[in-house]
């Protein structure tokens, strides 16, 4: 017996290829269906029909539903249409289906002629008992041959939309950041109908928000505590590190993230200078491991949910969230990180998500294969993105305002970029304009020395031009510097001058102007904007939270 590679694959019944038996004799039809079901029902959907006319209508229905027919068995002597005539009609609808004629001994000469006339694959003389000897070996061979050229229908998530539409880009990025395999299909509908996320269970989400997608895919967490020991706002490296340490040490911990846990580090194409990864690691891989680790220790993760306001209720902190929830916690850690600054070039806002992207958005790598890519910025994140896209794009051009890359980039990245023939660096250059119709088509650059303007064709532009802290939602609740970074510890000055301070001590090193509210990572004033230092601050914040709890 031929063993098919599909013996191990059990597909949902509605997606299985069809085996169709046609015979006007009820006794024979029941026997055929019984034997087919016994051997093949886990891989195929077995259907039967008592007349060729009915069977033709059934094939038309299967064709309309885009089903696959693998094999058809038909009796030769049937009223209204012979088996050979029916198989010829079936071949017009499903030309790859294997065709088998059931004949009496007296019709074997007709069957032999049909092999040439209608490309009959085989004929079987009735009766075929025992099937293990006279039926299954024949069908196994035919089905194995059919399966060798069969591509099973895709059963995963499908995203249908316009490749250069901002709403589609955001959903592609969301699924990629969650490490969810999906198939992107270019849509034909209008903006009101796209994008659509088609789920494996048959549901379709039309122009869904991020929260709706996360909920539908079962990725959202439920609150397991009425009150938390620590609520962490921001799921970047510092927030993830703090959540792991806090929960592993017995604190009831909640992590709140406005988008996808990982922060800017999660968008990095390659991190090569983080301790313990000599060959480097992508930001998605590193942060997804951290999320898995946090969940294993019992951290509740709410995402995508934004913190909109922070207040106090006695000693407790209250976080007011965008989904209407109010979370109380004994302590809060602010690790909101940074968001990329927007280009101030003329027309740039029109093309965000339609040719202009902030961060390394690995989602767009496939679109850039063999195409020119432009990168604006001269810090480490821009250098890492340039090296990543150089492996896929036709060419990468970096637009840098400074006089040299070494002004803001680590030496190892500068050396790698200078040694890569697929990367060109334009220093002392400013991007001042973006042009196009529905998507980015051109950019305008200004020479910083001469002021001369030059226009270049551009379809893919990635921006890394600095960032600002995500702290606007705090209003005046905690003290911040003039740029919005959260002040902590000694930078706050004397405790007596802090309106909300009511403890007989100075604020701890990472404590804000509000007792029990801490800050760590890039949003904290004076922090070192590096991955390792963010992770370290997250861990250090937990030790200070423990101290605060011991004093309370």
């Amino acid at each position: 017996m031929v063993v098919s590679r599909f013996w191990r694959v059990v597909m949902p019944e509605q997606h299985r290829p069809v085996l169709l038996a046609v015979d006007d004799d009820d006794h024979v039809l029941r026997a055929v269906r019984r034997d087919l079901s016994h051997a093949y029902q886990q891989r195929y959907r077995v259907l039967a029909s008592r007349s060729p006319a009915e069977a033709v209508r059934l094939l038309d229905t299967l064709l309309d539903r885009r089903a696959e027919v693998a094999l058809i068995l038909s009796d030769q002597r049937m009223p209204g249409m012979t088996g050979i005539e029916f198989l010829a009609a079936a071949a017009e609808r499903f030309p790859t289906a294997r065709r088998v004629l059931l004949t009496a001994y007296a019709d074997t000469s007709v069957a032999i002629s049909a092999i040439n006339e209608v490309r009959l694959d085989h004929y079987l003389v009735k009766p075929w008992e025992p099937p293990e000897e006279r039926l299954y070996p024949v069908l196994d061979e035919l089905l194995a041959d059919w399966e060798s050229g069969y591509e099973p229908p895709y059963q995963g998530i499908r995203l249908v939309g316009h490749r250069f539409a901002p709403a589609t880009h955001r959903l592609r990025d969301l699924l990629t950041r969650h490490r969810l395999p999906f198939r992107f299909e270019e849509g034909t509908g209008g903006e009101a109908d796209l994008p659509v996320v088609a789920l494996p269970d048959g549901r379709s989400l039309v122009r869904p928000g991020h929260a709706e997608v996360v909920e539908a895919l079962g990725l959202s967490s439920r609150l397991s505590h009425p009150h938390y020991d620590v609520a962490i706002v921001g799921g970047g490296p510092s927030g993830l590190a703090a959540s792991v340490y806090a929960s592993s040490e017995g604190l009831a911990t909640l992590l709140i993230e406005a988008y996808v846990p990982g922060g800017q580090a999660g968008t990095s194409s390659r991190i090569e200078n983080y301790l313990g990864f000599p060959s480097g690691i992508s930001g998605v891989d590193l942060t997804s491991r951290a999320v898995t680790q946090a969940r294993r220790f019992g951290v509740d993760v709410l995402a995508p949910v934004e913190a909109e306001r922070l207040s106090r209720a006695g000693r407790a902190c209250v976080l007011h969230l965008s989904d209407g929830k109010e979370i109380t916690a004994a302590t809060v850690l602010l690790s909101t990180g940074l968001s990329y600054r927007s280009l101030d070039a003329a027309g740039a806002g029109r093309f965000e998500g339609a040719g202009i992207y902030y961060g390394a958005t690995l989602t767009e790598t496939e679109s850039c294969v063999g195409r020119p890519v432009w990168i604006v910025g001269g810090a480490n994140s821009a250098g890492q993105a340039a090296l990543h896209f150089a492996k896929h794009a036709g060419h990468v051009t970096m637009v840098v305002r400074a006089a040299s890359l070494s002004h803001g980039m680590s030496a190892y990245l500068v050396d790698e970029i200078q040694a890569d023939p697929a990367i060109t660096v334009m220093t002392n250059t400013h991007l001042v304009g973006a042009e196009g119709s529905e998507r980015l088509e051109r950019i305008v650059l200004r020479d910083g020395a001469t002021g001369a303007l030059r226009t270049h064709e551009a379809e893919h532009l990635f921006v890394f031009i600095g960032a600002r802290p995500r702290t606007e939602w705090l209003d005046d609740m905690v003290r911040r510097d003039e740029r919005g970074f959260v002040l902590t510890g000694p930078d706050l000055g004397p405790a007596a001058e802090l309106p909300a301070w009511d403890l007989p001590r100075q604020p701890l090193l990472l404590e804000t102007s509000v007792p029990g509210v801490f800050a760590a990572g890039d949003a904290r004033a004076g922090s070192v904007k590096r991955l390792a230092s963010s992770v370290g601050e997250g861990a250090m914040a937990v030790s200070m939270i423990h101290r605060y709890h011991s004093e309370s």
Side-chain angles (χ1 to χ4, degrees), residues 310-318 320 329-330 477 500 502 514-517 548:
L310 173 64
S311 64
R312 298 294 296 270
R315 277 290 177 196
C317 301
V318 182
H320 306 262
M477 185 64 184
D502 57 0
V514 177
V517 178
Y548 176 84

Side-chain angles (χ1 to χ4, degrees), residues 2 98 121 140-150:
V2 177
R98 300 304 185 256
D121 293 294
D140 282 347
E141 186 172 344
L142 291 175
L143 290 173
D145 183 52
W146 180 84
E147 289 171 356
S148 67
Y150 171 60

Side-chain angles (χ1 to χ4, degrees), residues 426-445:
M426 300 176 67
T427 56
N428 201 17
T429 303
H430 304 252
L431 190 147
V432 296
E435 301 172 351
S437 53
E438 298 298 318
R439 51 164 298 187
L440 179 69
E441 297 173 3
R442 296 171 300 277
I443 57 174
V444 181
L445 303 180

Side-chain angles (χ1 to χ4, degrees), residues 20-37:
L20 175 62
V22 185
D23 200 305
D24 64 323
D25 186 318
D26 286 341
H27 176 73
V28 174
L29 190 62
R30 283 196 300 270
V32 175
R33 187 167 193 172
R34 177 201 65 209
D35 290 342
L36 292 179
S37 298

